[in-house]
Amino acid sequence: MTGELSKKLVDKSIEAFIMGLEIYNKPTINYRIEGFSFFICNAWELMLKAKMLDDGKSIYFKDSPDRTLSLENVINQVYPNKTQPLRINLEKLVILRNTSTHFITEDYEVIYAPLFQSNVLSFSEQLLRFHNRDITKHVPQNFLTLSATMEPLTNEQIKLKYSPEVAQRFIFQKNDIETTTELYPSDKFSIAIQHNFYQVNSKEKADFTFKIDRNSTQSVNTITKYKDPSETHKYSFDNLVKEVQVRLQKRKIPFTYKTSSGSKNIFSSYTLGLFIKFYDMKNNEKYSFKHIVGKNETYSYSQQAAEFIISEIKKDPQNIIENLKKANKKR
């Protein structure tokens, strides 16, 4: 019975996957980003639930046996490693799917297309790995290469194009994707889609063609540009944690602190919270930038914030966390 249900889930998963591909690869459909995110998440949820059934695990909530687990729950079960690039990719797409039911812009393709391409290839790999099903038996191999139609947008262009509320949210997500890509340089998270310009006589190697007009009256000058906090403060809270971890490891700083369960040497969201609270980093524009979207407030952080934390840890790597805990309690 379980095997039959698992097979039905995989069959439906493949159907959802193909629908996502068909929607995305039709440029005349305006709803392509939202539609793709919905169907690709549905495909993963069904496929991973089939995996759980094959492993003898329940796909229902313990306290509500008539409700199946959400995609977020299933991801936690199948991919328990929180730093796995594939898992992070899936989590970003879940956020996009949830966002698209309330808020979306056509320019989301600019930042999400590399994640979409990685996700499509990962789905085909995991489908074969978990269920021995070859997706190319259902769609040609070339269909797995997405047709992206996008032009890069700067933060200034975003602000000109959208209302302040929409722009703030878009920029926050754009910066989050960019920093996550830098922190997890893996094709399991993102596959770059780039267009190259070649100044050559032959067109075969170029994505686009251009020409130089020697009679042009326009000139190019270097200008001084103010720094936009939304460009300089690109780290989300979680990405700032990861960035500090990377820097501590690269610099071989012997960071440790005591907990009720013993000693730890991993910089975590808990330890970052101690730094932010004690040094009031949210109110220091050098370290943080507040994004206001409607009634919601979110913060992003700068490289200066990461460097400041590292410099403070270096002063006393064995005792700084304990000192911060005591100091915060006195406030």
Side-chain angles (χ1 to χ4, degrees):
M1 186 68 178
T2 300
E4 185 179 338
L5 176 58
S6 172
K7 183 180 182 304
K8 288 182 178 179
L9 289 176
V10 174
D11 288 341
K12 287 182 66 177
S13 172
I14 292 172
E15 286 290 325
F17 178 76
I18 294 172
M19 289 179 72
L21 288 181
E22 290 180 344
I23 287 174
Y24 190 84
N25 284 322
K26 287 185 177 179
T28 56
I29 297 178
N30 294 325
Y31 197 66
R32 55 205 297 265
I33 306 303
E34 298 93 320
F36 177 81
S37 65
F38 176 82
F39 283 111
I40 198 69
C41 285
N42 186 232
W44 275 97
E45 182 174 337
L46 294 169
M47 191 263 284
L48 295 180
K49 282 179 177 176
K51 158 67 174 170
M52 291 180 63
L53 287 174
D54 292 343
D55 291 344
K57 297 179 180 179
S58 175
I59 60 172
Y60 298 93
F61 286 100
K62 291 181 180 180
D63 57 349
S64 184
D66 59 333
R67 289 176 56 229
T68 60
L69 299 172
S70 67
L71 176 53
E72 293 94 323
N73 300 132
V74 175
I75 291 171
N76 287 334
Q77 293 266 3
V78 180
Y79 304 111
N81 182 0
K82 293 183 179 179
T83 62
Q84 184 177 359
L86 171 55
R87 168 171 168 159
I88 298 170
N89 174 284
L90 283 169
E91 289 172 338
K92 297 299 182 187
L93 263 61
V94 170
I95 292 172
L96 177 63
R97 179 199 63 179
N98 296 342
T99 300
S100 68
T101 60
H102 309 288
F103 170 96
I104 199 73
T105 80
E106 60 187 21
D107 292 308
Y108 265 43
E109 185 174 9
V110 172
I111 57 175
Y112 281 99
L115 274 67
F116 290 165
Q117 183 62 80
S118 174
N119 189 275
V120 164
L121 298 181
S122 291
F123 179 87
S124 63
E125 292 171 1
Q126 299 297 293
L127 182 69
L128 186 63
R129 174 190 171 198
F130 293 149
H131 305 290
N132 198 30
R133 300 281 293 271
D134 185 355
I135 195 65
T136 60
K137 297 289 180 63
H138 302 271
V139 292
Q141 179 71 39
N142 62 300
F143 269 55
L144 300 181
T145 300
L146 298 180
S147 175
T149 56
M150 59 184 193
E151 293 182 4
L153 274 181
T154 66
N155 288 347
E156 289 179 357
Q157 289 173 315
I158 293 168
K159 289 177 179 178
L160 289 173
K161 189 171 183 179
Y162 296 105
S163 67
E165 180 179 342
V166 173
Q168 284 285 2
R169 184 158 189 160
F170 185 96
I171 290 169
F172 182 84
Q173 289 181 275
K174 172 175 171 285
N175 289 343
D176 180 55
I177 295 296
E178 288 175 354
T179 54
T180 304
T181 301
E182 292 172 3
L183 291 168
Y184 299 92
S186 167
D187 61 7
K188 299 301 181 186
F189 174 73
S190 172
I191 294 178
I193 298 174
Q194 64 182 44
H195 302 288
N196 298 313
F197 290 88
Y198 294 88
Q199 189 175 346
V200 294
N201 294 327
S202 174
K203 295 182 179 179
E204 279 77 14
K205 293 183 179 180
D207 296 313
F208 301 96
T209 59
F210 65 95
K211 67 178 181 178
I212 299 173
D213 185 356
R214 300 184 184 278
N215 298 317
S216 173
T217 58
Q218 301 297 321
S219 61
V220 178
N221 295 306
T222 302
I223 61 171
T224 302
K225 178 178 164 185
Y226 78 95
K227 291 195 173 182
D228 185 345
S230 62
E231 292 182 353
T232 58
H233 296 59
K234 290 191 172 184
Y235 293 97
S236 66
F237 183 90
D238 290 341
N239 282 345
L240 181 58
V241 171
K242 177 64 179 177
E243 178 65 17
V244 174
Q245 289 175 351
V246 169
R247 294 188 185 209
L248 285 171
Q249 186 176 13
K250 283 184 177 179
R251 301 182 191 185
K252 298 181 179 179
I253 299 173
F255 173 67
T256 58
Y257 59 97
K258 294 179 181 179
T259 68
S260 56
S261 58
S263 295
K264 291 188 177 181
N265 61 357
I266 297 177
F267 191 85
S268 64
S269 57
Y270 167 70
T271 51
L272 175 56
L274 293 175
F275 275 94
I276 290 174
K277 181 178 180 181
F278 180 76
Y279 292 105
D280 195 23
M281 295 176 72
K282 286 185 177 179
N283 290 315
N284 189 327
E285 63 182 18
K286 285 196 305 182
Y287 303 134
S288 70
F289 177 61
K290 181 164 66 174
H291 302 259
I292 301 175
V293 181
K295 296 181 179 179
N296 297 320
E297 296 180 358
T298 55
Y299 288 84
S300 58
Y301 301 89
S302 65
Q303 286 198 27
Q304 277 184 287
E307 194 55 42
F308 172 74
I309 291 170
I310 292 295
S311 66
E312 292 301 303
I313 291 176
K314 281 179 65 177
K315 293 175 183 177
D316 192 359
Q318 311 296 321
N319 301 301
I320 186 167
I321 296 302
E322 191 61 31
N323 292 338
L324 287 177
K325 284 162 61 177
K326 290 178 181 177
N328 283 335
K329 282 182 180 180
K330 290 179 181 179
R331 291 190 168 185

